[in-house]
Every structure is written in structure tokens, then in C-alpha cells.
């Protein structure tokens, strides 16, 4: 552990009993075979997400009941988050490594999120990887202060998520996705500037022709501005503990393995295995469970410190009444 982080500083008990450097040559060779794009799995997951969105909208329209509509909005917001995870995978060229790969990811995953492009996201996100928890890490710099310090009281947590759900932090989030004085990382693709506005003009034309603006606003824009923002906040909490400057990845990144039923509500695309992603950013999301099994086989995982679902995470980040300030929750 670095001198900047002590056991008292850490919110999550480190789940790793070693790092990638402690892998045996055989294990490292196994993981290297997984370090290649998986375009088929990416496209399949993308198709499942869009099919799910279509199913939720159809069910809500057929049911014509406010409760089904609310459920559809909630579930569509979680699928929008999954599109963000697909964009994240392509930021590391885990889906496509040919010219035009970023454009394909934009058309299928990034542009529908309205404020995102794969290439711009990659520039910020790769800086996070290269300058982890330093003053040149954009994620670390913007995720500071009381709202990013945990555990929090239930009332404080409620206010935090209420702001996200109401879209009050959206403008700040967009402005925060900047690089400052961090070096820009160039992409293989150079997407012409006219592509994105033409995409949105085409979408607007189709919605006008079919009279689908009200459905678009209800079933896409509304969850994008509310549900997805709240889920982004929650997933950021699950991603890293951000208030420990100079800390190591394994000390600030919990290992979360979701049961199947939680994946139905929040398809995280194995994002809870984020520590392995930082060790091997070229390994696609679909292969991260294999990486986990290799680390476990090598004795590099504290099994009793792995979070099996979001319940343990919530118990850790929400300060119970009567618990002393700064006293960690049990895992």
C-alpha cells in the first residue's frame, strides 16, 4: 500500500491478495490470450440492449398503465447505462480495432446517449488510466469534496441521488468531462465533424415523419436525464473510492460480482470486476470473469472481501445512525 493510503483511509477492504505482477508466467500467458477485441460479443450485447428497449416500450404502450410506464423508464435507463459500458469498451479498442470502429460504436451506442462520443470519452478516460489518482486524472480531480466522501448519512445520500435523478448535476457532469492540461491521446479514427449532426438531423426527421416525438421524450430522453444519471452516480461509487490521493488501484477499487437477478435490472457488463480492467484494459468485458477465475486460482483474491451483489456496497457507503464519523462499515 502506498504511503498516501492507510487502512483507516480505505472504505472498501482490499479484495486483492496481490497484483498482476504476482501472476505466474502461465497465468499471465492465459490472460494475454484474452487481450484481443471481441466484436461478436460486443455486437450481440448491443443487439440485446436495443431489443430490450424495444420490448419495454412495446409493453408500456400495450399496457397503457402508468405503473408499467414507470417500470419501462427505469429499465430503459439501466440499458442506457449499458450502452455507456459498450462505449467504454470501445474506448480501449476492446470491440473493434479497424478504421471505422469508433464510428460504428458511435452509431450504435454513443450517439444515442446524446452527449457522448467514443473518441472524446476515450481521451478523458485514458487519462484516468494513465494518471490514476493524480492531479492529471480528470475523474479524480472532479470527484472530490463532501458529495464524494463516504460513508454518508442516509439523508445526505438521498440528497445526492435526488440531485442526480432530477438532472441537476448534468451540466456540471458535462463540463467536468474535460482534460485541462492533460495530454490528449489520439485515436486511430478521425471521424468527420459532419457525421454527428447528420445523425441527429436524420433521427429528428424520422421522429417527425412517424410522429414519435412524445414517445422519444418519454421513453428515451426522460430516463436519460433522470434514471441513467442516478445509476451513473451509483456505479461511480462502486468503481473507485475517490478521496484517497495517490492510492493504488487495488486499494480503492472494490471487486463486485453480481448475481444473475441483479444483472437483469442493472446489466453492468462485468464492470464490477473493474480492478482487472485496470490491470488489463485491453481485455473485453466478456472475458473479465475468466480473468477473475485465473486470479482466484493463483490465490490472489481475498474471497471473503468480494462483494456478491450491491447490498454489501450499500451497507458500506451509507452511514448508519449511531455509527461514529469515519468508522467503516463491515463488509
Amino acid at each position: 500500500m502506498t504511503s498516501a493510503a492507510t487502512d483507516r483511509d480505505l472504505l472498501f477492504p482490499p479484495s486483492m491478495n496481490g497484483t498482476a505482477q504476482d501472476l505466474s508466467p502461465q497465468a499471465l500467458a492465459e490472460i494475454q490470450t484474452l487481450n484481443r477485441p471481441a466484436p461478436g460479443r460486443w455486437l450481440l450485447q448491443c443487439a440485446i440492449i436495443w431489443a430490450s428497449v424495444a420490448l419495454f416500450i412495446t409493453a408500456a404502450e400495450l399496457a397503457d398503465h402508468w405503473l408499467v410506464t414507470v417500470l419501462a423508464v427505469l429499465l430503459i435507463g439501466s440499458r442506457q447505462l449499458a450502452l455507456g459500458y459498450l462505449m467504454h469498451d470501445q474506448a480501449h479498442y476492446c470491440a473493434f480495432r479497424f478504421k471505422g470502429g469508433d464510428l460504428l460504436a458511435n452509431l450504435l451506442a454513443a450517439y444515442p446517449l446524446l452527449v457522448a462520443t467514443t473518441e472524446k470519452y476515450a481521451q478523458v478516460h485514458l487519462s484516468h488510466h494513465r494518471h490514476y489518482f493524480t492531479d492529471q486524472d480528470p475523474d479524480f480531480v472532479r470527484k472530490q469534496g463532501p458529495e464524494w466522501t463516504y460513508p454518508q448519512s442516509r439523508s445526505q445520500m438521498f440528497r445526492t441521488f435526488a440531485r442526480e435523478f432530477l438532472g441537476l448535476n448534468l451540466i456540471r457532469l458535462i463540463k467536468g468531462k474535460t482534460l485541462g492540461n492533460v495530454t490528449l491521446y489520439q485515436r486511430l479514427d478521425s471521424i468527420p465533424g459532419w457525421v454527428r449532426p447528420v445523425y441527429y438531423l436524420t433521427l429528428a426527421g424520422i421522429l417527425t415523419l412517424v410522429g414519435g416525438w412524445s414517445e422519444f421524450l418519454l421513453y428515451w430522453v426522460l430516463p436519460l436525464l433522470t434514471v441513467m444519471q442516478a445509476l451513473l452516480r451509483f456505479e461511480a461509487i462502486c468503481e473507485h473510492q475517490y478521496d484517497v490521493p495517490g492510492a493504488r488501484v487495488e486499494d480503492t477499487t472494490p471487486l463486485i460480482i453480481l448475481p444473475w437477478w441483479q444483472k437483469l435490472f442493472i446489466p453492468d457488463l462485468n464492470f464490477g470486476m473493474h480492478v482487472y480492467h485496470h490491470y488489463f484494459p485491453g481485455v473485453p468485458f466478456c472475458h473479465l470473469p475468466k480473468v477473475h477465475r485465473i486470479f482466484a486460482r493463483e490465490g490472489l483474491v481475498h474471497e471473503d472481501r468480494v462483494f456478491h451483489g450491491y447490498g454489501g456496497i450499500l451497507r458500506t457507503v451509507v452511514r448508519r445512525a449511531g455509527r461514529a464519523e469515519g468508522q467503516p462499515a463491515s463488509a
Side-chain angles (χ1 to χ4, degrees):
M1 186 180 300
T2 65
S3 58
T6 65
D7 288 335
R8 186 177 180 82
D9 295 324
L10 300 181
L11 179 64
F12 307 110
S15 56
M16 305 308 297
N17 190 32
T19 69
Q21 297 178 346
D22 297 308
L23 289 167
S24 67
Q26 177 187 357
L28 187 59
E30 286 184 61
I31 293 177
Q32 290 304 326
T33 65
L34 305 174
N35 192 7
R36 65 185 188 277
R41 291 294 298 272
W42 193 97
L43 289 170
L44 174 62
Q45 188 62 53
C46 190
I48 292 173
I49 292 170
W50 283 112
S52 300
V53 170
L55 176 63
F56 300 147
I57 295 175
T58 301
E61 288 292 288
L62 291 176
D64 194 23
H65 190 281
W66 69 268
L67 191 59
V68 182
T69 299
V70 169
L71 181 60
V73 167
L74 291 173
L75 291 174
I76 289 171
S78 71
R79 270 55 188 178
Q80 292 170 333
L81 179 68
L83 289 178
Y85 286 142
L86 289 180
M87 178 182 68
H88 166 264
D89 238 39
Q90 176 56 20
H92 293 278
Y93 296 118
C94 290
F96 315 108
R97 286 185 188 168
F98 54 79
K99 189 172 179 61
D102 281 359
L103 176 59
L104 184 58
N106 279 338
L107 295 175
L108 296 177
Y111 288 170
L113 300 179
L114 303 184
V115 297
T117 67
T118 301
E119 61 276 13
K120 291 299 183 181
Y121 171 79
Q123 290 178 331
V124 175
H125 184 66
L126 294 182
S127 298
H128 164 62
H129 276 258
R130 303 280 182 92
H131 306 289
Y132 187 79
F133 276 34
T134 70
D135 58 3
Q136 292 197 73
D137 176 352
D139 284 356
F140 175 74
V141 170
R142 70 185 179 88
K143 294 178 180 178
Q144 297 296 318
E147 66 175 310
W148 288 101
T149 302
Y150 300 92
Q152 293 182 5
S153 66
R154 292 178 180 177
S155 60
Q156 184 179 3
M157 186 74 75
F158 175 81
R159 290 193 298 270
T160 296
F161 277 92
R163 287 194 297 270
E164 300 291 356
F165 192 80
L166 294 174
L168 299 180
N169 287 336
L170 184 60
I171 300 299
R172 186 174 61 174
L173 173 66
I174 296 173
K175 290 181 177 180
K177 284 290 186 181
T178 57
L179 289 168
N181 62 347
V182 176
T183 303
L184 294 175
Y185 298 101
Q186 298 301 316
R187 301 292 285 173
L188 294 177
D189 284 0
S190 179
I191 300 175
W194 55 265
V195 173
R196 192 179 180 194
V198 167
Y199 176 94
Y200 292 130
L201 285 173
T202 302
L203 174 63
I206 293 173
L207 290 173
T208 300
L209 284 175
V210 302
W213 277 105
S214 59
E215 290 81 6
F216 175 71
L217 292 173
L218 174 61
Y219 294 115
W220 193 257
V221 176
L222 178 61
L224 188 68
L225 296 179
T226 58
V227 179
M228 183 184 172
Q229 301 311 312
L231 289 177
L232 275 173
R233 165 70 66 158
F234 180 64
E235 291 297 286
I237 295 172
C238 298
E239 180 184 12
H240 299 299
Q241 177 189 356
Y242 278 99
D243 60 345
V244 190
R248 302 183 308 173
V249 171
E250 52 271 10
D251 291 331
T252 50
T253 310
L255 180 53
I256 309 168
I257 301 176
L258 297 184
W260 65 268
W261 62 270
Q262 289 189 12
K263 288 188 176 184
L264 290 179
F265 291 98
I266 305 180
D268 77 330
L269 276 58
N270 299 316
F271 200 72
M273 300 181 180
H274 202 63
V275 63
Y276 303 128
H277 168 67
H278 273 268
Y279 290 157
F280 303 100
V283 174
F285 73 92
C286 55
H287 294 324
L288 292 179
K290 297 178 183 177
V291 175
H292 171 65
R293 289 193 291 269
I294 292 172
F295 269 78
R297 186 189 70 205
E298 294 273 299
L300 298 179
V301 179
H302 286 296
E303 296 289 352
D304 59 331
R305 297 179 178 180
V306 176
F307 290 95
H308 292 279
Y310 288 130
I313 292 289
L314 288 171
R315 288 191 294 271
T316 302
V317 300
V318 178
R319 186 170 61 247
R320 293 189 298 270
R323 190 194 309 163
E325 186 75 24
Q327 179 182 343
S330 61

